[in-house]
Amino acid sequence: MPFLSLQNVHKDFGGVAAVDGVDLGLAAGELRALVGPNGCGKSTVFNLISGSLRATAGRITLDGTELGGQAPHRIARLGVGRKFQVPSVFGDLTVAENLDLAGAAGDRWGSGARPQSHLADRVHLADKTGDLASVLSHGQRQWLEIGMVLAARPRLMLLDEPTAGMTAFETAATVDLIRTMAGENGATILVIEHDTGFLERLDCPVTVMAKGKILATGTYQEIHNDPQVRALYFGNRSDA
Amino acid sequence: MNRLSASFSLTLAAIVFVALALIPVLGSGYWTGQATRYVLFGMFAMSLSLLWGRAGMLTFGHAVFFGIGGYVMATMTMGLFGDGILSELLAQPWIALPVSVGGAALAAAALGWFLFWGRGVSGAYLAIITLSVAVVVEQAVRGFYALGGDNGLVGVPALATWAADPFNPVPMFYTVLVIAAVVYVGLDRLLRSRMGALLTAVSANPDRLGHFGYSVFVVRLGAFVLGAAIAGLAGALFVATDGFASPSLIGFGLSAEVLIWVALGGRNILLAAFLGAVAVRLAESFLSGLLGDFWLLALGMVFMASVVLLPQGLIATPMLWLNNRWNQGNRSNSRDAPGPANDGMV
């Protein structure tokens, strides 16, 4: 069985099927991108895995453990870390406090402080550790949240549009960061992204969703050339 | 920043507590007795600052725990529990005091379990439910004959023989002042630790905190119980000082008053909340004689003006301003010191 496995997962919102029979499997250590037009159910899939929502039907397992019906904090303790689409950091806390709080949860309240300074360094915030998160720029908040997810050392990382609102330079740095993250500790990463430039650079298998269903899975090139996907996602421009 | 730096906060607290310690030296016995009560209300206000200012839990029923502390202390020290030697044992203030604190904490654990389980209630719903609880508990106490009903319990013994002389309130004043200082230092340290960050986080975005692996239920319940325990301690010491436990200590009225003290002082800053309670009670004792029934009107108008013009609080706003000046001064003194290493940046 794959490390992360979704089997025939459904989620209805008052009769509207947001997720309509999704089967998805990620091997341990795999890096996978999840793409699709707005409203296709990508974020709902994240909400179902991380426990924000409960599936109407189907099974979701992590390393064989059933996630369905568990509270978000329990799923987090099983090793699922999540970066939200809108950067969700604690604005009234400093960068250092944000990282410390996220890292301590991995230790189950861990009283022993683990130095998180190397993480601030990795997400390019080493000179901002004493600043309140609310004064950071949008891109820096995205990085801080990625740093917080890393601090908890999850086995599965769900990254929802990690480069939204970033400059080209920041996006490139983020791709490098995600590729390094994928290489170390055997972490499995599922990333939602719209930016085709980002996807090309990330160079990993891509799963395409449309209207709550999985449409196709393949390499970036395969997906890029798939006529069905082109019609749906990239449009029919001749240069695409 | 809406926080005080550690060094500034400690300096300011030292000044405040030393100034309070001079009251018996400079003032009359009457004012020392009054000041004892103000300090206890200040302690009560600090416990609400923890809940409301930090953990974002707006409660309209915090006096329930102040009152439970008070009534447990009163009934135990008056020997209303058990009989014979057991009654005498339970009447010992040094046994009754921790039991009062525990009673308030236990009541908060029971209520908090109900309030915060699952997704839990917060915001306006929490305010409405706690308000109803305060009204119900006050009515129950008023109708409970064994607790003295409307009249309350009169003749609650003092904490000890050295505190029993009604003409010498000084020993009790210093006892209360030291306890308040210890509570202040303890809470200040707690709020500067990871627990403080956790409370700020649970207030700002509980769902996000859950996704990092923290149980929002446990964090909220823990804060609620701790706040109630401190309120219970203040309540127990209050009835031992006053010699009187009345239903007005446990109801909606005092719950709303403490909210006003804390809002006026500044809910985010412990010391400001503490001073808010002391200042309003002090102003009341001067002005209620002068203004009569208009005192409440005046207080209400000051409250409205404060909420609109100085939402951080009348006392917290100048504190934060001084804090920034203090820290700028410190920074310019240490300008030559090497800054943090900044290698490894892209």
Side-chain angles (χ1 to χ4, degrees):
Chain A
M1 189 192 261
F3 181 66
L4 171 70
S5 157
L6 281 74
Q7 293 165 25
N8 197 22
V9 171
H10 290 260
K11 178 65 192 176
D12 292 354
F13 291 112
V16 180
V19 172
D20 192 9
V22 162
D23 289 294
L24 185 67
L26 264 73
E30 187 178 344
L31 171 61
R32 177 84 64 94
L34 187 60
V35 305
N38 283 326
C40 72
K42 306 181 300 284
S43 288
T44 306
V45 166
F46 271 27
N47 283 334
L48 292 171
I49 298 171
S50 64
S52 297
L53 294 174
R54 195 174 282 207
T56 316
R59 277 192 83 201
I60 304 174
T61 58
L62 182 78
D63 203 7
T65 308
E66 178 78 47
L67 299 185
Q70 298 221 48
H73 73 275
R74 297 216 172 273
I75 292 177
R77 285 183 194 170
L78 286 170
V80 177
R82 177 169 181 192
K83 200 209 88 58
F84 284 75
Q85 187 172 353
V86 178
S88 302
V89 297
F90 300 110
D92 288 335
L93 299 179
T94 64
V95 167
E97 285 171 329
N98 269 288
L99 290 171
D100 175 70
L101 205 57
D107 290 351
R108 279 194 159 229
W109 308 88
S111 44
R114 204 180 326 127
Q116 304 291 357
S117 50
H118 68 286
L119 274 171
D121 204 44
R122 282 192 72 180
V123 294
H124 319 300
L125 294 171
D127 58 339
K128 305 254 186 243
T129 50
D131 291 1
L132 288 184
S134 57
V135 305
L136 298 179
S137 74
H138 183 84
Q140 286 169 333
R141 263 182 275 170
Q142 294 273 43
W143 272 341
L144 175 57
E145 198 182 4
I146 294 173
M148 290 168 80
V149 171
L150 279 173
R153 295 198 281 203
R155 296 190 290 164
L156 171 69
M157 289 186 225
L158 305 172
L159 308 176
D160 199 342
E161 300 199 26
T163 66
M166 282 189 176
T167 63
F169 167 77
E170 288 172 333
T171 302
T174 307
V175 170
D176 292 343
L177 178 62
I178 292 174
R179 289 216 61 86
T180 336
M181 278 157 55
E184 64 197 31
N185 304 329
T188 309
I189 303 177
L190 184 59
V191 50
I192 290 179
E193 201 34 269
H194 278 298
D195 181 355
T196 48
F198 172 90
L199 289 174
E200 189 170 13
R201 208 192 295 252
L202 199 59
D203 187 29
C204 71
V206 179
T207 294
V208 184
M209 271 186 84
K211 292 180 183 164
K213 292 181 184 344
I214 302 277
L215 195 69
T217 297
T219 64
Y220 177 77
Q221 277 311 321
E222 285 165 5
I223 292 298
H224 193 82
N225 297 328
D226 186 319
Q228 222 186 337
V229 174
R230 288 172 70 102
L232 171 87
Y233 189 66
F234 297 107
N236 273 322
R237 289 170 298 152
S238 54
D239 62 328
Chain B
M1 280 246 185
N2 57 1
R3 284 186 267 173
L4 304 181
S5 72
S7 63
F8 179 75
S9 164
L10 202 64
T11 310
L12 201 60
I15 292 170
V16 165
F17 280 98
V18 167
L20 287 170
L22 292 176
I23 289 176
V25 183
L26 303 174
S28 63
Y30 169 76
W31 281 110
T32 304
Q34 289 301 102
T36 312
R37 292 164 176 82
Y38 301 162
V39 168
L40 287 170
F41 282 133
M43 205 157 105
F44 180 37
M46 285 197 282
S47 72
L48 184 67
S49 167
L50 169 81
L51 289 190
W52 181 33
R54 267 316 177 97
M57 298 190 278
L58 174 58
T59 164
F60 274 83
H62 202 42
V64 166
F65 306 114
F66 186 87
I68 288 174
Y71 270 95
V72 172
M73 186 73 177
T75 49
M76 282 181 72
T77 53
M78 288 170 78
L80 302 182
F81 280 117
D83 43 23
I85 190 119
L86 178 68
S87 172
E88 272 176 43
L89 190 70
L90 291 177
Q92 293 300 312
W94 302 111
I95 292 174
L97 191 63
V99 173
S100 307
V101 174
L106 203 65
L111 179 62
W113 201 283
F114 164 73
L115 289 174
F116 304 125
W117 182 248
R119 288 192 65 79
V121 289
S122 55
Y125 297 100
L126 181 64
I128 292 165
I129 295 175
T130 49
L131 188 153
S132 330
V133 169
V135 171
V136 167
V137 170
E138 181 175 351
Q139 288 308 314
V141 169
R142 284 188 188 281
F144 197 5
Y145 184 70
L147 294 177
D150 270 330
N151 299 321
L153 294 167
V154 187
V156 181
L159 213 52
T161 45
W162 48 257
D165 179 0
F167 298 105
N168 184 15
V170 176
M172 189 59 185
F173 172 75
Y174 281 119
T175 308
V176 163
L177 192 64
V178 167
I179 294 174
V182 169
V183 166
Y184 172 77
V185 171
L187 276 181
D188 190 59
R189 284 192 60 129
L190 180 87
L191 291 179
R192 287 177 195 286
S193 73
R194 185 180 288 148
M195 286 298 161
L198 206 50
L199 294 182
T200 303
V202 85
S203 163
N205 194 344
D207 288 340
R208 185 69 189 101
L209 193 65
H211 284 291
F212 280 121
Y214 291 98
S215 164
V216 172
F217 168 72
V218 171
V219 176
R220 283 197 171 134
L221 189 67
F224 199 64
V225 169
L226 178 62
I230 294 166
L233 175 64
L237 291 170
F238 188 87
V239 298
T241 303
D242 226 24
F244 178 37
S246 85
S248 67
L249 298 182
I250 207 166
F252 169 66
L254 185 61
S255 297
E257 270 189 87
V258 69
L259 274 169
I260 290 180
W261 304 336
V262 171
L264 274 179
R267 64 190 169 108
N268 291 316
I269 295 173
L270 278 181
L271 199 59
F274 175 81
L275 287 175
V278 174
V280 174
R281 295 312 297 229
L282 194 65
E284 185 176 353
S285 62
F286 279 111
L287 296 177
S288 63
L290 206 65
L291 300 175
D293 288 343
F294 289 107
W295 153 249
L296 275 179
L297 185 68
L299 180 64
M301 282 164 69
V302 171
F303 178 64
M304 284 186 341
S306 149
V307 167
V308 174
L309 300 174
L310 294 173
Q312 298 260 40
L314 290 179
I315 298 171
T317 306
M319 269 185 189
L320 287 165
W321 183 78
L322 282 171
N323 175 62
N324 290 342
R325 306 245 346 191
W326 166 284
N327 291 328
Q328 274 164 14
N330 282 0
R331 218 168 287 147
S332 57
N333 287 342
S334 57
R335 193 173 285 162
D336 299 332
N342 195 16
D343 45 350
M345 276 289 290
V346 176

